[in-house]
Amino acid sequence: MDAFIQPHQYHYIKQQVKKIVSAQANSNDSQVIQAVKEIAMEELEKQLDHLSEEQKEILSAIQTMKDREDIDPFLQQLKQYVISFPLISEKQLQKAFPKVKKLKMPDLEPFDRKETVYLRWDDVSLNKTFMLIPKDEKLIGVQGQLDTTQQKGICSLCNGLENVSLFTSAKKGQMRGTYSKRGNYICKDPISCNQNIATLQLLHNFIDRLQA
């Protein structure tokens, strides 16, 4: 079977699985546990619309879970159906950042592409942070500077409570030669950030704010 799950949907499935296992650990009421399972399946089918019966059957295995030890084997099995974040060519990078000269190709080695929703990396030589964010079947390029200091806070991209730093980007003003800066607090660690993302909405809102 072909891959049919996007990385953010995979993270959403993980969240639902943990809810089911938590309900079973904290309740002895079989009706409550069954209700949690049914709600989880309904939510998954909303998130992953147009599922075939075979695809639904794969996801239905979450209803057989009994404890935390069942989570990892299920997720490993499910991972083969996750669509990997695409490998980036130099041409795609140039298209996403047409005005950036001598931009180095990002190192994908640290990333599990099946758990990568968006790509973020630092280019030390340019003293900038770059992102490639999926939107409308395209990869949108975002660039700016990520502050070296960090604090505990809510990330604008994943809504997780993590160590965050201020990301600022410049936008041309209406008058020639003027710029305005936009700032958002985002996770210091892009891998943790990706693993928290269960919906693309915050990523798209982030892009919209920068482009407004």
Side-chain angles (χ1 to χ4, degrees), residues 55-106:
Q55 291 166 346
K56 289 180 183 179
E57 183 66 24
I58 291 169
L59 293 179
S60 69
I62 69 173
Q63 298 188 63
T64 65
M65 292 189 173
K66 296 179 180 179
D67 52 46
R68 296 187 184 280
E69 293 180 356
D70 294 332
I71 294 178
D72 287 344
F74 169 73
L75 293 177
Q76 286 302 317
Q77 175 71 13
L78 190 67
K79 212 167 192 179
Q80 65 183 304
Y81 303 111
V82 178
I83 301 166
S84 298
F85 190 89
L87 292 170
I88 307 301
S89 68
E90 288 189 14
K91 186 175 181 180
Q92 287 174 306
L93 201 62
Q94 290 169 358
K95 185 176 181 180
F97 302 100
K99 296 182 180 180
V100 181
K101 307 300 181 184
K102 299 181 180 180
L103 177 58
K104 296 177 182 178
M105 291 290 290

Side-chain angles (χ1 to χ4, degrees), residues 34-52:
Q34 185 58 34
V36 172
K37 289 180 177 180
E38 289 176 359
I39 290 171
M41 283 304 300
E42 288 175 5
E43 291 299 319
L44 289 178
E45 290 182 14
K46 287 179 184 177
Q47 288 287 325
L48 287 82
D49 52 359
H50 307 302
L51 290 177
S52 68

Side-chain angles (χ1 to χ4, degrees), residues 76-167:
Q76 286 302 317
Q77 175 71 13
L78 190 67
K79 212 167 192 179
Q80 65 183 304
Y81 303 111
V82 178
I83 301 166
S84 298
F85 190 89
L87 292 170
I88 307 301
S89 68
E90 288 189 14
K91 186 175 181 180
Q92 287 174 306
L93 201 62
Q94 290 169 358
K95 185 176 181 180
F97 302 100
K99 296 182 180 180
V100 181
K101 307 300 181 184
K102 299 181 180 180
L103 177 58
K104 296 177 182 178
M105 291 290 290
D107 179 15
L108 293 178
E109 185 63 31
F111 293 87
D112 180 342
R113 292 194 298 119
K114 286 183 177 288
E115 296 197 29
T116 300
V117 182
Y118 77 101
L119 191 62
R120 190 174 99 214
W121 72 101
D122 297 319
D123 191 314
V124 178
S125 63
L126 298 176
N127 191 30
K128 283 189 176 181
T129 294
F130 295 89
M131 303 184 203
L132 285 172
I133 300 174
K135 187 182 182 187
D136 301 328
E137 299 183 356
K138 298 178 182 178
L139 288 174
I140 307 299
V142 174
Q143 60 178 301
Q145 292 182 312
L146 190 63
D147 199 89
T148 55
T149 61
Q150 57 184 316
Q151 63 190 51
K152 208 71 174 177
I154 300 297
C155 172
S156 298
L157 304 181
C158 72
N159 203 40
L161 178 61
E162 301 285 352
N163 289 323
V164 297
S165 297
L166 183 63
F167 175 83

